[in-house]
mmCIF file of all heavy atoms in Angstrom:
data_model
loop_
_atom_site.group_PDB
_atom_site.id
_atom_site.type_symbol
_atom_site.label_atom_id
_atom_site.label_comp_id
_atom_site.label_asym_id
_atom_site.label_seq_id
_atom_site.Cartn_x
_atom_site.Cartn_y
_atom_site.Cartn_z
ATOM 1 N N VAL A 293 107.885 87.119 93.432
ATOM 2 C CA VAL A 293 108.002 85.657 92.987
ATOM 3 C C VAL A 293 109.414 85.186 93.256
ATOM 4 O O VAL A 293 109.682 84.105 93.842
ATOM 5 C CB VAL A 293 107.560 85.392 91.633
ATOM 6 C CG1 VAL A 293 107.943 83.991 91.175
ATOM 7 C CG2 VAL A 293 106.102 85.641 91.374
ATOM 8 N N ALA A 294 110.396 86.035 92.913
ATOM 9 C CA ALA A 294 111.835 85.633 93.150
ATOM 10 C C ALA A 294 112.103 85.425 94.607
ATOM 11 O O ALA A 294 112.832 84.586 95.027
ATOM 12 C CB ALA A 294 112.733 86.715 92.546
ATOM 13 N N TRP A 295 111.514 86.368 95.479
ATOM 14 C CA TRP A 295 111.685 86.301 96.927
ATOM 15 C C TRP A 295 111.122 84.974 97.412
ATOM 16 O O TRP A 295 111.686 84.251 98.227
ATOM 17 C CB TRP A 295 111.072 87.417 97.559
ATOM 18 C CG TRP A 295 111.179 87.492 99.077
ATOM 19 C CD1 TRP A 295 112.250 87.984 99.824
ATOM 20 C CD2 TRP A 295 110.263 86.851 100.023
ATOM 21 N NE1 TRP A 295 112.006 87.728 101.126
ATOM 22 C CE2 TRP A 295 110.812 87.061 101.318
ATOM 23 C CE3 TRP A 295 109.049 86.297 99.913
ATOM 24 C CZ2 TRP A 295 110.199 86.693 102.479
ATOM 25 C CZ3 TRP A 295 108.399 85.826 101.058
ATOM 26 C CH2 TRP A 295 108.982 86.089 102.305
ATOM 27 N N LEU A 296 109.795 84.646 97.029
ATOM 28 C CA LEU A 296 109.263 83.297 97.351
ATOM 29 C C LEU A 296 110.111 82.188 97.067
ATOM 30 O O LEU A 296 110.394 81.280 97.895
ATOM 31 C CB LEU A 296 107.887 83.211 96.830
ATOM 32 C CG LEU A 296 106.810 84.144 97.327
ATOM 33 C CD1 LEU A 296 105.590 84.123 96.462
ATOM 34 C CD2 LEU A 296 106.385 83.775 98.784
ATOM 35 N N LYS A 297 110.548 82.089 95.807
ATOM 36 C CA LYS A 297 111.388 81.025 95.343
ATOM 37 C C LYS A 297 112.726 80.940 96.152
ATOM 38 O O LYS A 297 113.205 79.857 96.396
ATOM 39 C CB LYS A 297 111.675 81.123 93.827
ATOM 40 C CG LYS A 297 110.456 80.863 92.962
ATOM 41 C CD LYS A 297 110.804 81.012 91.463
ATOM 42 C CE LYS A 297 111.862 79.950 91.057
ATOM 43 N NZ LYS A 297 112.227 80.111 89.625
ATOM 44 N N SER A 298 113.304 82.019 96.472
ATOM 45 C CA SER A 298 114.547 82.072 97.202
ATOM 46 C C SER A 298 114.395 81.497 98.602
ATOM 47 O O SER A 298 115.352 81.130 99.243
ATOM 48 C CB SER A 298 115.151 83.496 97.257
ATOM 49 O OG SER A 298 114.354 84.293 98.211
ATOM 50 N N HIS A 299 113.150 81.460 99.084
ATOM 51 C CA HIS A 299 112.927 80.884 100.426
ATOM 52 C C HIS A 299 112.368 79.489 100.314
ATOM 53 O O HIS A 299 111.744 78.926 101.290
ATOM 54 C CB HIS A 299 111.905 81.819 101.171
ATOM 55 C CG HIS A 299 112.585 83.075 101.664
ATOM 56 N ND1 HIS A 299 112.924 84.075 100.883
ATOM 57 C CD2 HIS A 299 113.009 83.420 102.965
ATOM 58 C CE1 HIS A 299 113.438 85.078 101.552
ATOM 59 N NE2 HIS A 299 113.547 84.681 102.789
ATOM 60 N N GLY A 300 112.534 78.858 99.124
ATOM 61 C CA GLY A 300 112.117 77.469 98.913
ATOM 62 C C GLY A 300 110.576 77.256 98.895
ATOM 63 O O GLY A 300 110.142 76.106 99.214
ATOM 64 N N ILE A 301 109.897 78.260 98.471
ATOM 65 C CA ILE A 301 108.375 78.153 98.388
ATOM 66 C C ILE A 301 107.958 78.131 96.915
ATOM 67 O O ILE A 301 108.454 78.869 96.082
ATOM 68 C CB ILE A 301 107.787 79.416 99.074
ATOM 69 C CG1 ILE A 301 108.175 79.424 100.524
ATOM 70 C CG2 ILE A 301 106.253 79.380 98.924
ATOM 71 C CD1 ILE A 301 107.802 80.745 101.183
ATOM 72 N N ASP A 302 107.199 77.035 96.573
ATOM 73 C CA ASP A 302 106.604 77.034 95.217
ATOM 74 C C ASP A 302 105.556 78.129 95.025
ATOM 75 O O ASP A 302 104.895 78.554 95.978
ATOM 76 C CB ASP A 302 106.007 75.639 95.073
ATOM 77 C CG ASP A 302 106.960 74.513 95.093
ATOM 78 O OD1 ASP A 302 108.143 74.727 94.794
ATOM 79 O OD2 ASP A 302 106.536 73.339 95.313
ATOM 80 N N VAL A 303 105.415 78.495 93.754
ATOM 81 C CA VAL A 303 104.468 79.536 93.438
ATOM 82 C C VAL A 303 103.660 79.123 92.165
ATOM 83 O O VAL A 303 104.230 78.594 91.244
ATOM 84 C CB VAL A 303 105.074 80.883 93.155
ATOM 85 C CG1 VAL A 303 104.064 82.010 92.944
ATOM 86 C CG2 VAL A 303 106.117 81.277 94.192
ATOM 87 N N VAL A 304 102.378 79.220 92.246
ATOM 88 C CA VAL A 304 101.464 79.147 91.064
ATOM 89 C C VAL A 304 100.670 80.451 90.917
ATOM 90 O O VAL A 304 100.064 80.941 91.881
ATOM 91 C CB VAL A 304 100.481 77.951 91.220
ATOM 92 C CG1 VAL A 304 99.405 78.021 90.052
ATOM 93 C CG2 VAL A 304 101.153 76.651 91.295
ATOM 94 N N LEU A 305 100.847 81.070 89.727
ATOM 95 C CA LEU A 305 100.128 82.363 89.554
ATOM 96 C C LEU A 305 98.842 82.068 88.772
ATOM 97 O O LEU A 305 98.710 81.164 87.956
ATOM 98 C CB LEU A 305 100.974 83.282 88.672
ATOM 99 C CG LEU A 305 102.332 83.787 89.314
ATOM 100 C CD1 LEU A 305 102.971 84.755 88.314
ATOM 101 C CD2 LEU A 305 102.060 84.516 90.632
ATOM 102 N N VAL A 306 97.821 82.873 89.141
ATOM 103 C CA VAL A 306 96.529 82.861 88.457
ATOM 104 C C VAL A 306 96.284 84.209 87.870
ATOM 105 O O VAL A 306 96.186 85.227 88.650
ATOM 106 C CB VAL A 306 95.397 82.517 89.469
ATOM 107 C CG1 VAL A 306 93.968 82.464 88.687
ATOM 108 C CG2 VAL A 306 95.701 81.174 90.229
ATOM 109 N N ASP A 307 96.217 84.296 86.543
ATOM 110 C CA ASP A 307 96.130 85.672 86.023
ATOM 111 C C ASP A 307 94.740 86.302 86.078
ATOM 112 O O ASP A 307 93.825 85.712 86.588
ATOM 113 C CB ASP A 307 96.670 85.682 84.554
ATOM 114 C CG ASP A 307 95.832 84.954 83.608
ATOM 115 O OD1 ASP A 307 94.649 84.665 83.858
ATOM 116 O OD2 ASP A 307 96.363 84.616 82.419
ATOM 117 N N PRO A 308 94.622 87.538 85.662
ATOM 118 C CA PRO A 308 93.366 88.277 85.846
ATOM 119 C C PRO A 308 92.038 87.666 85.331
ATOM 120 O O PRO A 308 92.063 86.907 84.412
ATOM 121 C CB PRO A 308 93.633 89.678 85.237
ATOM 122 C CG PRO A 308 95.047 89.817 85.275
ATOM 123 C CD PRO A 308 95.555 88.391 85.030
ATOM 124 N N LEU A 309 90.947 88.183 85.766
ATOM 125 C CA LEU A 309 89.639 87.845 85.316
ATOM 126 C C LEU A 309 89.369 88.174 83.898
ATOM 127 O O LEU A 309 89.986 89.284 83.460
ATOM 128 C CB LEU A 309 88.600 88.358 86.275
ATOM 129 C CG LEU A 309 88.401 87.741 87.672
ATOM 130 C CD1 LEU A 309 87.509 88.622 88.512
ATOM 131 C CD2 LEU A 309 87.849 86.346 87.584
ATOM 132 N N TYR A 310 88.494 87.594 83.269
ATOM 133 C CA TYR A 310 88.082 87.998 81.894
ATOM 134 C C TYR A 310 86.573 88.422 81.986
ATOM 135 O O TYR A 310 85.706 87.816 82.606
ATOM 136 C CB TYR A 310 88.216 86.834 80.961
ATOM 137 C CG TYR A 310 87.435 87.012 79.635
ATOM 138 C CD1 TYR A 310 88.003 87.704 78.603
ATOM 139 C CD2 TYR A 310 86.115 86.586 79.472
ATOM 140 C CE1 TYR A 310 87.320 87.903 77.410
ATOM 141 C CE2 TYR A 310 85.429 86.742 78.331
ATOM 142 C CZ TYR A 310 86.031 87.439 77.267
ATOM 143 O OH TYR A 310 85.360 87.626 76.150
ATOM 144 N N THR A 311 86.274 89.476 81.216
ATOM 145 C CA THR A 311 84.898 89.766 80.750
ATOM 146 C C THR A 311 85.094 90.372 79.290
ATOM 147 O O THR A 311 86.166 90.888 78.922
ATOM 148 C CB THR A 311 84.196 90.815 81.644
ATOM 149 O OG1 THR A 311 84.715 92.106 81.389
ATOM 150 C CG2 THR A 311 84.272 90.446 83.094
ATOM 151 N N ALA A 312 83.986 90.372 78.563
ATOM 152 C CA ALA A 312 84.029 90.891 77.218
ATOM 153 C C ALA A 312 84.292 92.375 77.173
ATOM 154 O O ALA A 312 84.975 92.866 76.295
ATOM 155 C CB ALA A 312 82.678 90.682 76.509
ATOM 156 N N SER A 313 83.996 93.090 78.357
ATOM 157 C CA SER A 313 84.213 94.521 78.435
ATOM 158 C C SER A 313 85.662 94.871 78.410
ATOM 159 O O SER A 313 86.083 96.044 78.138
ATOM 160 C CB SER A 313 83.597 95.142 79.632
ATOM 161 O OG SER A 313 84.085 94.544 80.820
ATOM 162 N N VAL A 314 86.582 93.884 78.849
ATOM 163 C CA VAL A 314 87.979 94.172 78.902
ATOM 164 C C VAL A 314 88.835 93.485 77.855
ATOM 165 O O VAL A 314 90.005 93.617 77.729
ATOM 166 C CB VAL A 314 88.597 93.953 80.351
ATOM 167 C CG1 VAL A 314 87.924 94.751 81.461
ATOM 168 C CG2 VAL A 314 88.495 92.404 80.625
ATOM 169 N N ALA A 315 88.131 92.670 77.055
ATOM 170 C CA ALA A 315 88.809 91.759 76.118
ATOM 171 C C ALA A 315 89.707 92.591 75.119
ATOM 172 O O ALA A 315 90.802 92.174 74.784
ATOM 173 C CB ALA A 315 87.864 90.959 75.309
ATOM 174 N N GLY A 316 89.195 93.757 74.704
ATOM 175 C CA GLY A 316 89.999 94.588 73.746
ATOM 176 C C GLY A 316 90.723 95.779 74.498
ATOM 177 O O GLY A 316 91.248 96.580 73.739
ATOM 178 N N ASP A 317 90.680 95.799 75.805
ATOM 179 C CA ASP A 317 91.376 96.835 76.512
ATOM 180 C C ASP A 317 92.939 96.581 76.490
ATOM 181 O O ASP A 317 93.379 95.661 77.171
ATOM 182 C CB ASP A 317 90.869 96.963 77.915
ATOM 183 C CG ASP A 317 91.332 98.163 78.725
ATOM 184 O OD1 ASP A 317 92.577 98.288 78.841
ATOM 185 O OD2 ASP A 317 90.511 98.939 79.255
ATOM 186 N N ALA A 318 93.668 97.511 75.849
ATOM 187 C CA ALA A 318 95.076 97.213 75.701
ATOM 188 C C ALA A 318 95.798 97.279 77.028
ATOM 189 O O ALA A 318 96.701 96.452 77.334
ATOM 190 C CB ALA A 318 95.712 98.330 74.780
ATOM 191 N N ASP A 319 95.475 98.195 77.955
ATOM 192 C CA ASP A 319 96.173 98.259 79.235
ATOM 193 C C ASP A 319 95.833 97.038 80.104
ATOM 194 O O ASP A 319 96.770 96.515 80.828
ATOM 195 C CB ASP A 319 95.678 99.564 80.010
ATOM 196 C CG ASP A 319 96.229 100.819 79.360
ATOM 197 O OD1 ASP A 319 97.318 100.741 78.709
ATOM 198 O OD2 ASP A 319 95.597 101.891 79.469
ATOM 199 N N TYR A 320 94.572 96.616 80.103
ATOM 200 C CA TYR A 320 94.263 95.374 80.842
ATOM 201 C C TYR A 320 94.961 94.223 80.314
ATOM 202 O O TYR A 320 95.553 93.409 81.086
ATOM 203 C CB TYR A 320 92.696 95.135 80.709
ATOM 204 C CG TYR A 320 92.135 94.145 81.700
ATOM 205 C CD1 TYR A 320 91.510 94.619 82.888
ATOM 206 C CD2 TYR A 320 92.277 92.805 81.544
ATOM 207 C CE1 TYR A 320 90.969 93.726 83.866
ATOM 208 C CE2 TYR A 320 91.734 91.920 82.478
ATOM 209 C CZ TYR A 320 91.129 92.398 83.625
ATOM 210 O OH TYR A 320 90.629 91.493 84.550
ATOM 211 N N ASN A 321 95.069 94.094 78.972
ATOM 212 C CA ASN A 321 95.775 92.895 78.423
ATOM 213 C C ASN A 321 97.304 92.985 78.683
ATOM 214 O O ASN A 321 97.977 91.948 78.754
ATOM 215 C CB ASN A 321 95.559 92.874 76.939
ATOM 216 C CG ASN A 321 94.201 92.183 76.609
ATOM 217 O OD1 ASN A 321 94.151 91.001 76.414
ATOM 218 N ND2 ASN A 321 93.157 92.982 76.532
#
C-alpha cells in the first residue's frame, strides 16, 4: 500500500469474506 501511495495511486482495501465457520477462528480474525 505504501508503494502504491508513493506513486500517486489511491487505494481502497476490501477485507476478507465472512462465513459463520470462520467467525470464531482466531487466526482468520
Side-chain angles (χ1 to χ4, degrees):
V293 171
W295 181 86
L296 289 166
K297 290 181 62 181
S298 73
H299 286 73
I301 299 169
D302 292 338
V303 187
V304 172
L305 295 181
V306 182
D307 69 16
L309 289 168
Y310 164 86
T311 72
S313 63
V314 300
D317 186 305
D319 290 333
Y320 195 101
N321 278 271

